Amino acid sequence: MINNNCLIDELKKLKESSKEAVENITSFSEFKNYMHVKRNVQDELFNIIEKSSKSNSSKLILVCGGVGDGKSHIISYFKNNYPDIISEFEIHNDATESFEPGKTSIDTLNDVLKDFNDDNILHSNKKLILAINLGALSNFIDSKYQENFKNLKQYVEDKKILDVDISDNSYEEESNFQFINFSDYHIYSLTEEKAKSQYVEDIINKIVQDDERNIFKNSYKSNCQNCDINYKCPIKINYEMLMKESVKEKLIDVLIECVVKDKLIVSTRSLLNFIYDFIVNTELDNKNNEELKVYIDKISCEQFIKCIFVSNLFEHRELSQILNSLNKIDPINSISEDLDNIIIKLNITEDIAGVFNSYLNIDGNNYLESLMSKNDVIEDEKMKLKTKTEQNYLIDSLINMFIRLNIFIPRENLNLNDKIYLEYMKNLYYWNIGDIDNIENLYSDVKVAIYNWNGEALDGRINISVGKNQMRYKISQKLNLEADLSNIKVNESEELLKFNPSLIIGYESEENGINYKIDIDFNLYELLMRIKNGYRPNKNDKYNYINFVEFINKIQKLGSQNKEIYIEDKQGLGVSNYKLVYKQAFGRFEFKSTNEV
């Protein structure tokens, strides 16, 4: 008999549209209390709040960060779990809102912070927790009220709260201001091996672990396991897949990859919604329980493939920013000779299941695993289709599913990882811990890309852009650059929880010691590595990375162009080389042919 209760009823609590997803500082439900995952920022903030509560002076605690980074959730958690301590404070949340229609959010902040203006702060004993986005904080300290809050503005500037660099937020008893910046913390941590996310892992575990408070696992045990159609239910199978360590680990890996490549801000709400999308396909989400059971009971092979978790991850970019980013790293778009050979083999072999078994860890206890491990199941599904075109479409769908599954449940890994991304993450770790030996190649590679930005020149020279682009003449200058490591700080931690998420690389002129730095995120790094290997940046590249263009323009001024330049004249198959030298003692230029090739 088909069970009328369903796991999906509980899973829907994970959706962003669920009432459970709404953060309310005055309430903290039992479900939220169970789903709460402790983060490193929580301990640091609680330490500041606890010490401030015992102080006799006024305390303004700035809880800073970006939109959706969990400020409201943690304050709500403290309010629910530590009422005695939090009762010492007033709390102002969502500083972008105004209390009165005639007032802006800036006006509201001026009212809220009146006890902390320059006239009142020393005579006040008020304690206030202010959850505020960095943009709103910046706007306020530069607003028309800034003359009244010079002390606060000076504090923000001294602590470099609004800067990219990580700030020291340790508690200071003598100060009326305290702060913590959620932007200094990330959804992932850095290790030499790879980036990790204990936070995401803990969230997933909350959904799949054995715990009497876990409504999802309880529903799975009482409903899914006793349901007559559980063998081919994509929701049940996807939920079981989420329990697998390899799936969990790879899901975290690809999520971090999206955060790094697309600068995604993954809030707890969006993460929970993402896990729902992983388990429940849109085709199943829109049905009531009775319709859902009927649909699954009659589900076809093609429909099943569309509902399995790898299809949910890579084929629904329209559903969320996370899925949109995942679509960009879909493994079926990977370029690999080994992958090409496997695809050819799958298209011509009569033993598709044998190939699947060689490359995938298949248990064989549900429809997905039967489909992937038994040739007779595949053949039966092909026979149900009327035309050769439909059969070919089924094979293509199976191959796509096979490629995607290989990154989650590999027996023999096809190694479809983005090598440049993995290289970037290692460099990011070594740069943040100040490992000079391991970042030497990084500085050398970026230096080559700098020299090749305007086209490859002879050794030790860099091309100069003069006038309109043309093919005949190429003008270059000598440029002697050395790595500037003055901003490198040694950190002996094996796992970094607070770190700069991009590489700030500097170079200086050997002649005059002038230096410039450039912030290199993954996308710029990828472009620079391509340039190092011979790629020539086009107009779009230079438009998209205007900051790097400005950096190049500054770097070029460190060269020898005020003393001498080299001119290459291409005429047909021949090349003539010249040098223009300024003789300062005689106040004139000398133009001569050279023998350099």
Side-chain angles (χ1 to χ4, degrees):
M1 181 175 178
I2 296 176
N3 195 334
N4 288 323
N5 297 316
C6 188
L7 172 61
I8 196 173
D9 296 329
E10 302 298 348
L11 290 172
K12 284 185 175 179
K13 291 183 173 66
L14 301 175
K15 295 178 68 174
E16 282 187 303
S17 57
S18 163
K19 65 178 182 179
E20 294 290 350
V22 179
E23 290 295 350
N24 187 336
I25 207 126
T26 60
S27 64
F28 205 78
S29 67
E30 184 178 343
F31 173 72
K32 283 186 180 178
N33 211 37
Y34 169 71
M35 289 300 297
H36 176 75
V37 169
K38 189 176 182 181
R39 300 165 60 187
N40 296 91
V41 66
Q42 176 180 322
D43 287 337
E44 292 199 28
L45 176 56
F46 185 73
N47 177 59
I48 292 170
I49 291 174
E50 187 176 37
K51 289 180 177 178
S52 296
S53 69
K54 298 173 182 177
S55 174
N56 293 323
S57 62
S58 63
K59 294 290 180 183
L60 169 62
I61 301 176
L62 300 170
V63 183
C64 309
V67 177
D69 56 12
K71 299 185 293 295
S72 302
H73 175 84
I74 287 185
I75 293 172
S76 179
Y77 175 81
F78 287 157
K79 190 176 178 66
N80 184 71
N81 288 274
Y82 305 99
D84 292 342
I85 294 176
I86 299 300
S87 64
E88 298 286 328
F89 297 83
E90 283 188 23
I91 299 174
H92 182 64
N93 188 41
D94 195 3
T96 60
E97 293 297 321
S98 170
F99 292 149
E100 301 176 28
K103 288 187 175 181
T104 66
S105 59
I106 298 293
D107 296 330
T108 301
L109 271 177
N110 179 59
D111 293 341
V112 170
L113 297 177
K114 63 182 179 182
D115 290 294
F116 298 93
N117 65 35
D118 298 338
D119 292 332
N120 299 331
I121 191 168
L122 296 179
H123 312 291
S124 170
N125 60 1
K126 185 174 182 177
K127 292 180 171 58
L128 172 67
I129 297 173
L130 173 64
I132 185 168
N133 293 334
L134 290 171
L137 177 61
S138 177
N139 290 338
F140 180 72
I141 63 173
D142 289 331
S143 72
K144 61 185 178 182
Y145 298 111
Q146 62 178 296
E147 290 301 314
N148 301 327
F149 290 90
K150 290 180 180 178
N151 289 327
L152 175 59
K153 183 171 183 173
Q154 190 63 50
Y155 178 80
V156 171
E157 291 174 351
D158 289 346
K159 291 296 182 180
K160 299 181 179 180
I161 297 174
L162 300 175
D163 293 355
V164 175
D165 288 342
I166 297 168
S167 312
D168 177 14
N169 63 298
S170 51
Y171 178 79
E172 297 176 351
E173 173 58 39
E174 67 279 5
S175 175
N176 299 104
F177 305 114
Q178 312 293 330
F179 87 99
I180 193 162
N181 191 349
F182 274 55
S183 295
D184 287 344
Y185 299 81
H186 307 277
I187 198 171
Y188 62 97
S189 60
L190 293 177
T191 71
E192 185 172 21
E193 177 192 1
K194 67 174 186 175
K196 300 179 179 180
S197 179
Q198 189 62 49
Y199 174 65
V200 176
E201 183 178 350
D202 289 346
I203 287 285
I204 295 173
N205 287 338
K206 289 283 187 178
I207 296 168
V208 299
Q209 70 189 0
D210 285 315
D211 187 308
E212 61 182 13
R213 299 169 298 161
N214 185 356
I215 59 174
F216 310 110
K217 195 62 172 286
N218 292 340
S219 177
Y220 167 77
K221 288 179 177 178
S222 61
N223 297 319
C224 294
Q225 293 186 338
N226 298 316
C227 182
D228 288 351
I229 58 172
N230 65 11
Y231 172 76
K232 55 183 176 180
C233 175
I235 295 174
K236 173 181 177 288
I237 293 169
N238 291 341
Y239 182 73
E240 289 171 339
M241 281 292 179
L242 195 61
M243 298 180 196
K244 291 179 179 287
E245 287 302 317
S246 67
V247 174
K248 191 190 309 179
E249 181 180 352
K250 191 59 185 181
L251 189 63
I252 293 170
D253 288 345
V254 296
L255 187 60
I256 294 172
E257 187 172 349
C258 289
V259 168
V260 172
K261 288 184 173 181
D262 275 2
K263 292 186 170 64
L264 282 183
I265 298 174
V266 180
S267 66
T268 303
R269 291 195 300 274
S270 63
L271 178 59
L272 294 176
N273 192 82
F274 167 68
I275 295 172
Y276 179 81
D277 289 335
F278 171 97
I279 301 172
V280 183
N281 183 269
T282 52
E283 184 68 33
L284 308 180
D285 176 49
N286 295 324
K287 300 183 186 303
N288 61 40
N289 281 11
E290 185 176 346
E291 292 170 338
L292 182 63
K293 304 299 169 71
V294 172
Y295 182 86
I296 293 174
D297 191 33
K298 297 179 180 180
I299 196 168
S300 69
C301 183
E302 294 93 338
Q303 290 170 329
F304 178 85
I305 291 174
K306 288 179 180 178
C307 292
I308 206 63
F309 75 95
V310 286
S311 299
N312 295 344
L313 287 177
F314 297 111
E315 294 184 0
H316 291 279
R317 62 185 305 171
E318 76 283 355
L319 292 181
S320 71
Q321 288 184 321
I322 297 177
L323 293 180
N324 181 54
S325 290
L326 275 171
N327 178 263
K328 299 174 188 177
I329 60 171
D330 190 340
I332 68 171
N333 297 321
S334 299
I335 299 174
S336 160
E337 186 177 346
D338 290 341
L339 179 59
D340 290 342
N341 291 335
I342 291 294
I343 292 173
I344 292 170
K345 188 175 183 179
L346 286 170
N347 274 294
I348 63 176
T349 185
E350 294 182 1
D351 183 20
I352 291 180
V355 179
F356 287 169
N357 273 296
S358 296
Y359 285 87
L360 300 177
N361 263 321
I362 302 170
D363 297 331
N365 58 3
N366 61 45
Y367 179 64
L368 169 65
E369 289 150 349
S370 294
L371 183 64
M372 302 294 282
S373 63
K374 297 176 182 177
N375 280 315
D376 56 341
V377 175
I378 297 173
E379 289 303 315
D380 286 346
E381 293 296 344
K382 286 173 64 178
M383 293 301 294
K384 293 176 186 177
L385 302 173
K386 297 178 181 179
T387 68
K388 187 69 174 176
T389 300
E390 290 176 324
Q391 292 181 356
N392 289 339
Y393 179 79
L394 173 61
I395 296 300
D396 288 344
S397 298
L398 283 168
I399 291 173
N400 286 345
M401 182 170 68
F402 161 77
I403 295 169
R404 290 162 173 164
L405 283 172
N406 183 261
I407 71 171
F408 288 98
I409 52 170
R411 187 187 304 278
E412 183 176 336
N413 202 316
L414 290 173
N415 195 17
L416 303 178
N417 295 318
D418 182 341
K419 293 180 177 58
I420 291 182
Y421 165 74
L422 296 178
E423 183 184 88
Y424 174 80
M425 296 306 288
K426 276 196 175 293
N427 281 324
L428 190 63
Y429 171 74
Y430 291 135
W431 186 86
N432 272 284
I433 66 169
D435 187 333
I436 303 298
D437 292 335
N438 275 306
I439 59 174
E440 184 176 355
N441 287 338
L442 165 67
Y443 279 79
S444 297
D445 290 344
V446 173
K447 181 178 175 179
V448 172
I450 290 171
Y451 278 76
N452 291 350
W453 182 260
N454 289 318
E456 192 172 351
L458 291 176
D459 234 13
R461 295 191 208 160
I462 185 171
N463 288 334
I464 308 170
S465 297
V466 178
K468 293 183 178 179
N469 288 335
Q470 42 76 42
M471 299 297 294
R472 179 171 173 178
Y473 297 102
K474 186 163 68 175
I475 301 175
S476 61
Q477 64 169 334
K478 285 184 178 179
L479 176 64
N480 297 317
L481 289 181
E482 280 295 322
D484 174 17
L485 305 178
S486 59
N487 62 328
I488 298 296
K489 299 174 183 176
V490 176
N491 185 333
E492 297 181 355
S493 300
E494 292 185 1
E495 181 174 8
L496 298 179
L497 304 173
K498 294 170 71 173
F499 53 88
N500 197 312
S502 59
L503 303 161
I504 303 175
I505 305 294
Y507 295 92
E508 66 181 2
S509 165
E510 286 185 351
E511 281 75 19
N512 54 35
I514 297 174
N515 61 76
Y516 296 106
K517 292 181 174 60
I518 182 67
D519 195 317
I520 301 176
D521 62 8
F522 168 77
N523 294 299
L524 178 54
Y525 177 84
E526 182 182 40
L527 175 62
L528 294 178
M529 293 308 101
R530 290 170 62 200
I531 293 171
K532 183 201 78 162
N533 293 322
Y535 173 77
R536 182 77 179 267
N538 56 36
K539 286 184 179 179
N540 284 338
D541 295 325
K542 294 182 178 182
Y543 176 80
N544 291 331
Y545 299 101
I546 189 67
N547 287 342
F548 193 77
V549 172
E550 293 172 353
F551 170 75
I552 289 288
N553 292 338
K554 292 176 183 176
I555 285 290
Q556 285 181 341
K557 293 176 181 178
L558 301 179
S560 65
Q561 59 184 289
N562 292 329
K563 298 178 182 178
E564 61 182 18
I565 59 172
Y566 296 82
I567 303 165
E568 185 180 281
D569 181 8
K570 295 181 180 179
Q571 300 182 61
L573 297 177
V575 178
S576 300
N577 294 286
Y578 304 95
K579 185 160 104 173
L580 181 64
V581 180
Y582 179 64
K583 295 195 168 185
Q584 188 171 0
F586 300 98
R588 63 180 178 84
F589 292 93
E590 181 180 81
F591 185 77
K592 62 181 180 179
S593 175
T594 69
N595 295 321
E596 295 176 9
V597 179

